[in-house]
Amino acid sequence: MHLVYPAVLASLLFCTGLYGVLARRNAILVLMSVELMLNAVNLNLVAFDVWLRDTLHAGQALTLFTIAIAAAEIGIGLAIVLLVYRNRGTADIDRLRDLHEDAPGPDAGHGDREEKAEAAA
């Protein structure tokens, strides 16, 4: 077996997953893209294990470990996305900026004081 075929397929899968992570706004699609990237890594691990004819099959053992980590990541990530969707009503990543603070302008504090003074009068 040539090493080029699975390596090219894995690079295409990884690039597709990378594009999905960078271009998508839906959190579930981002999680699916991360899973695609991890599958590309698994394909490379198994292909290089077969190509190197490793007697311990370290590539396949590492692939099983990566699959277990990916399953845990998807489970926790999906639970977080469902919780956010239940609370916010959207899974759009750009709209989920609770911790984002706007930079205060040069006169940000003065306007609040004037408004409070007018309201009190």
Side-chain angles (χ1 to χ4, degrees):
M1 177 177 87
H2 295 286
L3 184 63
V4 176
Y5 300 129
V8 168
L9 179 63
S11 64
L12 289 174
L13 283 174
F14 191 84
C15 290
T16 304
L18 185 65
Y19 173 74
V21 167
L22 295 176
R24 300 292 179 191
R25 296 175 190 252
N26 191 347
I28 295 175
L29 292 177
V30 170
L31 287 174
M32 289 174 58
S33 298
V34 169
E35 186 71 25
L36 193 63
M37 292 169 64
L38 287 172
N39 285 333
V41 170
N42 289 339
L43 180 61
N44 264 336
L45 285 171
V46 171
F48 276 99
D49 183 52
V50 169
W51 184 65
L52 293 173
R53 299 185 197 283
D54 187 16
T55 56
L56 294 176
H57 299 293
Q60 293 179 17
L62 195 57
T63 297
L64 289 175
F65 180 72
T66 307
I67 289 171
I69 294 297
E73 176 256 337
I74 289 297
I76 291 172
L78 191 59
I80 290 171
V81 168
L82 289 175
L83 183 66
V84 167
Y85 182 77
R86 187 180 299 165
N87 289 336
R88 299 282 175 187
T90 183
D92 190 7
I93 294 174
D94 291 336
R95 293 185 184 174
L96 302 175
R97 297 184 185 241
D98 286 342
L99 301 177
H100 178 72
E101 295 181 9
D102 293 328
D107 60 349
H110 300 298
D112 294 337
R113 291 182 192 158
E114 292 172 4
E115 290 174 7
K116 288 180 184 177
E118 289 176 7

Coordinates of all heavy atoms in Angstrom, one line a residue, residues 9-71:
L9 N -5.7 11.8 1.5 CA -7.1 11.8 2.0 C -7.2 12.5 3.4 O -8.1 13.3 3.7 CB -7.7 10.4 2.0 CG -9.1 10.2 2.6 CD1 -10.1 11.0 1.7 CD2 -9.4 8.8 2.7
A10 N -6.2 12.2 4.3 CA -6.2 12.8 5.6 C -6.0 14.3 5.5 O -6.6 15.0 6.3 CB -5.2 12.1 6.5
S11 N -5.2 14.7 4.6 CA -4.9 16.2 4.5 C -6.2 16.9 4.0 O -6.5 18.0 4.5 CB -3.7 16.5 3.7 OG -3.9 16.0 2.4
L12 N -6.9 16.3 3.1 CA -8.1 16.8 2.6 C -9.2 16.9 3.7 O -9.9 17.9 3.8 CB -8.6 16.1 1.4 CG -7.8 16.2 0.1 CD1 -8.4 15.3 -1.0 CD2 -7.9 17.7 -0.4
L13 N -9.3 15.8 4.4 CA -10.3 15.8 5.6 C -9.9 16.8 6.6 O -10.8 17.5 7.1 CB -10.3 14.4 6.2 CG -11.0 13.3 5.5 CD1 -10.8 12.0 6.3 CD2 -12.5 13.6 5.4
F14 N -8.6 17.0 6.9 CA -8.2 17.9 7.9 C -8.5 19.4 7.4 O -8.9 20.2 8.2 CB -6.7 17.8 8.2 CG -6.3 18.5 9.4 CD1 -6.5 18.0 10.7 CD2 -5.7 19.8 9.3 CE1 -6.1 18.7 11.8 CE2 -5.3 20.5 10.4 CZ -5.5 20.0 11.7
C15 N -8.2 19.6 6.2 CA -8.4 21.0 5.6 C -9.9 21.3 5.6 O -10.3 22.4 5.8 CB -7.8 21.1 4.2 SG -6.0 21.2 4.3
T16 N -10.7 20.3 5.3 CA -12.2 20.5 5.3 C -12.7 20.8 6.7 O -13.5 21.7 6.9 CB -12.9 19.3 4.7 OG1 -12.4 19.0 3.4 CG2 -14.4 19.5 4.7
G17 N -12.1 20.1 7.7 CA -12.5 20.4 9.1 C -12.0 21.7 9.5 O -12.7 22.4 10.3
L18 N -10.8 22.1 9.1 CA -10.3 23.4 9.5 C -11.1 24.5 8.9 O -11.4 25.5 9.6 CB -8.8 23.5 9.0 CG -8.1 24.8 9.4 CD1 -8.0 24.8 11.0 CD2 -6.7 24.8 8.8
Y19 N -11.5 24.4 7.7 CA -12.4 25.3 7.0 C -13.8 25.4 7.8 O -14.3 26.5 8.0 CB -12.7 25.0 5.6 CG -13.7 25.9 4.9 CD1 -13.4 27.2 4.6 CD2 -15.0 25.4 4.7 CE1 -14.4 28.0 4.0 CE2 -16.0 26.2 4.1 CZ -15.7 27.5 3.8 OH -16.6 28.3 3.2
G20 N -14.3 24.3 8.2 CA -15.5 24.3 8.9 C -15.4 25.0 10.3 O -16.3 25.6 10.7
V21 N -14.3 24.8 11.0 CA -14.1 25.5 12.2 C -14.0 27.0 12.1 O -14.5 27.7 12.8 CB -12.8 24.9 13.0 CG1 -12.4 25.8 14.1 CG2 -13.1 23.5 13.4
L22 N -13.3 27.4 11.0 CA -13.1 28.8 10.8 C -14.2 29.6 10.2 O -14.4 30.7 10.4 CB -11.8 29.0 10.0 CG -10.5 28.6 10.6 CD1 -9.3 28.8 9.6 CD2 -10.2 29.3 11.9
A23 N -15.0 28.9 9.4 CA -16.1 29.6 8.6 C -17.5 29.4 9.2 O -18.3 30.3 8.9 CB -16.1 29.0 7.2
R24 N -17.7 28.4 10.0 CA -19.1 28.2 10.5 C -19.4 29.0 11.7 O -18.5 29.3 12.5 CB -19.3 26.7 10.8 CG -19.1 25.8 9.7 CD -20.2 26.0 8.6 NE -19.9 25.1 7.5 CZ -20.5 25.2 6.4 NH1 -21.4 26.1 6.2 NH2 -20.3 24.4 5.4
R25 N -20.7 29.3 11.9 CA -21.1 30.1 13.0 C -21.9 29.2 14.0 O -22.1 29.6 15.1 CB -21.9 31.3 12.6 CG -21.2 32.3 11.8 CD -22.0 33.3 11.2 NE -21.3 34.1 10.3 CZ -20.9 35.4 10.5 NH1 -21.2 35.9 11.6 NH2 -20.3 36.0 9.6
N26 N -22.4 28.1 13.5 CA -23.2 27.3 14.4 C -22.3 26.4 15.2 O -21.4 25.8 14.7 CB -24.2 26.4 13.5 CG -25.2 25.7 14.3 OD1 -25.1 25.6 15.5 ND2 -26.2 25.1 13.6
A27 N -22.6 26.3 16.5 CA -21.7 25.6 17.4 C -21.7 24.1 17.1 O -20.6 23.4 17.2 CB -22.1 25.8 18.8
I28 N -22.8 23.5 16.7 CA -22.8 22.1 16.4 C -22.0 21.8 15.2 O -21.3 20.7 15.1 CB -24.3 21.6 16.3 CG1 -25.0 21.8 17.6 CG2 -24.4 20.2 15.8 CD1 -26.5 21.5 17.6
L29 N -22.1 22.6 14.2 CA -21.2 22.4 13.0 C -19.8 22.5 13.3 O -18.9 21.9 12.7 CB -21.7 23.4 11.9 CG -23.0 23.1 11.3 CD1 -23.4 24.1 10.2 CD2 -23.1 21.7 10.7
V30 N -19.4 23.4 14.2 CA -18.0 23.6 14.6 C -17.5 22.3 15.3 O -16.4 21.8 15.1 CB -17.8 24.8 15.5 CG1 -16.4 24.8 16.1 CG2 -18.0 26.1 14.7
L31 N -18.4 21.7 16.2 CA -18.0 20.4 16.8 C -17.9 19.3 15.8 O -17.0 18.5 15.9 CB -19.1 20.1 17.8 CG -19.1 20.9 19.1 CD1 -20.3 20.5 20.0 CD2 -17.8 20.7 19.9
M32 N -18.7 19.3 14.8 CA -18.6 18.3 13.7 C -17.3 18.4 12.9 O -16.7 17.5 12.6 CB -19.8 18.3 12.8 CG -21.1 17.8 13.5 SD -22.6 18.0 12.5 CE -22.1 17.1 11.0
S33 N -16.9 19.7 12.7 CA -15.7 19.9 12.0 C -14.5 19.5 12.8 O -13.5 19.0 12.3 CB -15.6 21.4 11.7 OG -16.6 21.8 10.8
V34 N -14.5 19.7 14.1 CA -13.4 19.3 15.0 C -13.3 17.7 15.0 O -12.3 17.2 14.9 CB -13.6 19.8 16.4 CG1 -12.7 19.1 17.4 CG2 -13.4 21.3 16.5
E35 N -14.5 17.1 14.9 CA -14.5 15.6 14.8 C -13.9 15.2 13.5 O -13.2 14.2 13.5 CB -16.0 15.1 15.0 CG -16.1 13.6 15.0 CD -15.6 13.0 16.3 OE1 -15.6 13.7 17.3 OE2 -15.2 11.8 16.3
L36 N -14.2 15.9 12.5 CA -13.6 15.6 11.1 C -12.1 15.7 11.2 O -11.4 14.9 10.6 CB -14.2 16.5 10.1 CG -14.0 16.1 8.6 CD1 -14.6 14.7 8.3 CD2 -14.6 17.2 7.7
M37 N -11.6 16.7 11.8 CA -10.2 16.9 12.0 C -9.5 15.8 12.8 O -8.4 15.3 12.4 CB -9.9 18.3 12.6 CG -10.2 19.4 11.8 SD -10.2 21.0 12.6 CE -8.5 21.1 13.0
L38 N -10.2 15.4 13.8 CA -9.7 14.2 14.6 C -9.7 12.9 13.9 O -8.8 12.1 14.0 CB -10.5 14.1 15.9 CG -10.2 15.2 17.0 CD1 -11.2 15.1 18.1 CD2 -8.8 15.1 17.5
N39 N -10.7 12.7 13.0 CA -10.7 11.5 12.2 C -9.6 11.6 11.1 O -9.0 10.5 10.8 CB -12.0 11.4 11.5 CG -13.1 10.9 12.4 OD1 -12.8 10.2 13.4 ND2 -14.3 11.3 12.2
A40 N -9.2 12.7 10.7 CA -8.1 12.8 9.7 C -6.8 12.4 10.4 O -5.9 11.8 9.9 CB -8.0 14.2 9.2
V41 N -6.6 12.9 11.7 CA -5.4 12.5 12.5 C -5.4 11.0 12.7 O -4.4 10.4 12.6 CB -5.4 13.3 13.8 CG1 -4.4 12.8 14.7 CG2 -5.2 14.8 13.5
N42 N -6.6 10.4 13.0 CA -6.6 9.0 13.2 C -6.2 8.2 12.0 O -5.6 7.2 12.0 CB -8.1 8.6 13.6 CG -8.4 9.0 15.0 OD1 -7.5 9.3 15.8 ND2 -9.6 9.1 15.3
L43 N -6.7 8.7 10.8 CA -6.3 8.0 9.5 C -4.8 8.1 9.3 O -4.2 7.1 8.9 CB -7.1 8.7 8.4 CG -6.8 8.1 7.0 CD1 -7.2 6.7 6.9 CD2 -7.5 9.0 6.0
N44 N -4.2 9.2 9.6 CA -2.7 9.3 9.5 C -2.0 8.4 10.5 O -1.0 7.8 10.1 CB -2.3 10.8 9.8 CG -2.1 11.5 8.5 OD1 -1.9 11.0 7.4 ND2 -2.2 12.8 8.6
L45 N -2.5 8.3 11.7 CA -1.9 7.4 12.7 C -1.9 6.0 12.2 O -0.9 5.2 12.3 CB -2.5 7.6 14.0 CG -2.2 8.8 14.8 CD1 -3.1 8.9 16.0 CD2 -0.8 8.8 15.2
V46 N -3.0 5.5 11.7 CA -3.1 4.1 11.3 C -2.3 3.9 10.0 O -1.6 2.9 9.9 CB -4.6 3.7 11.1 CG1 -4.7 2.4 10.4 CG2 -5.3 3.7 12.4
A47 N -2.3 4.8 9.1 CA -1.6 4.7 7.9 C -0.1 4.6 8.1 O 0.6 3.8 7.6 CB -1.9 5.8 6.9
F48 N 0.4 5.5 9.0 CA 1.9 5.4 9.3 C 2.2 4.2 10.1 O 3.3 3.7 10.0 CB 2.3 6.7 10.0 CG 2.6 7.8 9.1 CD1 1.7 8.8 8.9 CD2 3.8 7.9 8.4 CE1 1.9 9.8 8.0 CE2 4.1 8.9 7.6 CZ 3.2 9.9 7.3
D49 N 1.3 3.7 11.0 CA 1.5 2.5 11.7 C 1.7 1.3 10.7 O 2.6 0.4 10.9 CB 0.4 2.2 12.7 CG 0.6 1.0 13.5 OD1 1.7 0.9 14.1 OD2 -0.3 0.1 13.6
V50 N 0.8 1.2 9.7 CA 0.9 0.1 8.8 C 2.2 0.3 7.9 O 2.9 -0.7 7.6 CB -0.3 0.1 7.9 CG1 -0.2 -0.8 6.7 CG2 -1.5 -0.3 8.7
W51 N 2.5 1.5 7.5 CA 3.7 1.8 6.7 C 5.0 1.5 7.4 O 5.9 0.9 6.8 CB 3.6 3.2 6.2 CG 4.7 3.6 5.2 CD1 4.9 3.1 4.0 CD2 5.8 4.5 5.5 NE1 6.0 3.6 3.4 CE2 6.6 4.5 4.3 CE3 6.1 5.3 6.5 CZ2 7.7 5.3 4.1 CZ3 7.3 6.1 6.4 CH2 8.0 6.1 5.2
L52 N 5.1 1.8 8.7 CA 6.3 1.5 9.4 C 6.4 0.1 9.9 O 7.4 -0.3 10.4 CB 6.4 2.5 10.6 CG 6.6 4.0 10.3 CD1 6.5 4.8 11.5 CD2 7.9 4.2 9.6
R53 N 5.3 -0.6 9.8 CA 5.2 -2.0 10.3 C 5.7 -2.2 11.8 O 6.6 -3.0 12.1 CB 6.1 -3.0 9.4 CG 5.6 -3.0 8.0 CD 6.4 -4.0 7.2 NE 6.2 -3.8 5.8 CZ 5.2 -4.1 5.0 NH1 4.2 -4.7 5.6 NH2 5.2 -3.9 3.7
D54 N 5.1 -1.3 12.6 CA 5.4 -1.3 14.0 C 4.9 -2.6 14.7 O 3.7 -2.9 14.5 CB 4.8 -0.1 14.7 CG 5.2 0.1 16.1 OD1 6.2 -0.5 16.5 OD2 4.6 0.9 16.8
T55 N 5.7 -3.3 15.4 CA 5.3 -4.5 16.1 C 4.4 -4.3 17.3 O 3.6 -5.1 17.6 CB 6.5 -5.4 16.5 OG1 7.3 -4.6 17.4 CG2 7.3 -5.8 15.3
L56 N 4.5 -3.1 17.9 CA 3.7 -2.8 19.0 C 2.4 -2.1 18.6 O 1.5 -2.0 19.4 CB 4.4 -1.8 20.0 CG 5.7 -2.4 20.7 CD1 6.4 -1.3 21.5 CD2 5.3 -3.5 21.5
H57 N 2.2 -1.8 17.4 CA 1.1 -1.1 16.8 C 0.7 0.1 17.7 O -0.4 0.3 18.1 CB -0.1 -2.0 16.8 CG 0.1 -3.2 15.9 ND1 0.2 -3.1 14.5 CD2 0.2 -4.5 16.1 CE1 0.5 -4.2 14.0 NE2 0.5 -5.2 14.9
A58 N 1.7 1.0 17.9 CA 1.5 2.2 18.7 C 0.6 3.2 18.0 O -0.2 3.9 18.7 CB 2.9 2.8 18.9
G59 N 0.6 3.2 16.7 CA -0.3 4.1 16.0 C -1.8 3.8 16.2 O -2.6 4.6 16.4
Q60 N -2.0 2.5 16.2 CA -3.4 2.0 16.4 C -3.9 2.2 17.8 O -5.0 2.6 18.1 CB -3.6 0.6 16.0 CG -3.4 0.4 14.5 CD -3.5 -1.0 14.0 OE1 -4.0 -1.9 14.8 NE2 -3.0 -1.3 12.8
A61 N -2.9 2.0 18.8 CA -3.3 2.2 20.2 C -3.5 3.7 20.4 O -4.5 4.1 21.2 CB -2.1 1.7 21.1
L62 N -2.7 4.6 19.8 CA -3.0 6.0 20.0 C -4.3 6.4 19.3 O -4.9 7.4 19.8 CB -1.8 6.8 19.4 CG -1.6 8.2 19.8 CD1 -1.6 8.4 21.3 CD2 -0.4 8.8 19.1
T63 N -4.6 5.7 18.2 CA -5.9 6.0 17.6 C -7.1 5.7 18.5 O -8.0 6.5 18.5 CB -6.0 5.2 16.2 OG1 -4.9 5.7 15.4 CG2 -7.3 5.4 15.6
L64 N -7.0 4.6 19.2 CA -8.1 4.2 20.1 C -8.2 5.3 21.2 O -9.3 5.6 21.6 CB -7.8 2.8 20.7 CG -8.1 1.7 19.7 CD1 -7.7 0.4 20.4 CD2 -9.5 1.7 19.3
F65 N -7.0 5.8 21.7 CA -7.0 6.8 22.7 C -7.7 8.1 22.2 O -8.5 8.8 22.9 CB -5.6 7.0 23.2 CG -5.5 8.1 24.3 CD1 -5.9 7.9 25.6 CD2 -4.9 9.3 24.0 CE1 -5.8 8.8 26.5 CE2 -4.8 10.3 24.9 CZ -5.3 10.0 26.2
T66 N -7.3 8.4 20.9 CA -7.9 9.6 20.3 C -9.4 9.5 20.1 O -10.1 10.5 20.3 CB -7.2 9.9 19.0 OG1 -5.8 9.9 19.2 CG2 -7.6 11.2 18.4
I67 N -9.8 8.3 19.7 CA -11.3 8.1 19.6 C -12.0 8.3 20.9 O -13.1 8.9 21.0 CB -11.6 6.7 19.0 CG1 -11.1 6.7 17.5 CG2 -13.0 6.4 19.1 CD1 -11.1 5.4 16.9
A68 N -11.4 7.8 22.0 CA -12.1 8.0 23.3 C -12.1 9.4 23.7 O -13.1 9.9 24.2 CB -11.3 7.1 24.3
I69 N -11.0 10.2 23.5 CA -11.0 11.6 23.8 C -12.0 12.4 22.9 O -12.7 13.3 23.4 CB -9.6 12.2 23.6 CG1 -8.6 11.5 24.6 CG2 -9.5 13.7 23.7 CD1 -8.9 11.8 26.1
A70 N -12.1 12.0 21.7 CA -13.1 12.7 20.8 C -14.5 12.4 21.2 O -15.3 13.3 21.1 CB -12.8 12.2 19.3
A71 N -14.8 11.2 21.6 CA -16.1 10.9 22.1 C -16.5 11.7 23.3 O -17.6 12.2 23.5 CB -16.3 9.4 22.4

